[in-house]
Amino acid sequence: MSDVRHVLVLPDRDAAEDAAEALGERFGLDEEPRLVRDALSGEDDAEDAQWLVVLRDEGELLDPEELDAFAGEWDGWREEP
């Protein structure tokens, strides 16, 4: 098995939490996605932070294009590795 990870970049915490919950429902994930706050370079204000949803895909079963479209539903995108 490989250690493939997908990172979805979302505009705020609410979107990240909603997306993380919906990911499990839509894609049947075995493991809960991890949420990470990513402050923009040089910014201290929490309003200027993006949120990352990190999911492991050891079996490489998730389609990157589907994940990108999914993130777009929350005004986000999938970060290329």
Side-chain angles (χ1 to χ4, degrees), residues 6 10-11 13 20 26-28 44 49-51 56 65 70:
H6 298 282
L10 299 166
R13 184 180 188 145
R26 186 175 302 178
F27 295 99
D44 293 327
Q50 295 173 325
W51 282 80
R56 289 179 18 167
E65 289 181 15
F70 176 85

Side-chain angles (χ1 to χ4, degrees), residues 3-79:
D3 188 29
V4 173
R5 294 180 193 269
H6 298 282
V7 177
L8 307 183
V9 181
L10 299 166
D12 57 48
R13 184 180 188 145
D14 289 339
E17 290 174 344
D18 291 346
E21 184 176 326
L23 275 166
E25 294 170 8
R26 186 175 302 178
F27 295 99
L29 302 178
D30 293 333
E31 185 177 314
E32 185 90 13
R34 189 168 60 109
L35 301 180
V36 179
R37 181 181 175 269
D38 183 33
L40 298 176
S41 180
E43 297 293 335
D44 293 327
D45 187 354
E47 294 299 317
D48 292 326
Q50 295 173 325
W51 282 80
L52 308 179
V53 178
V54 181
L55 34 139
R56 289 179 18 167
D57 183 17
E58 292 179 358
E60 297 184 48
L61 302 174
L62 300 173
D63 182 343
E65 289 181 15
E66 284 184 49
L67 289 173
D68 194 37
F70 176 85
E73 294 174 22
W74 282 273
D75 298 323
W77 65 91
R78 185 185 62 85
E79 190 70 27

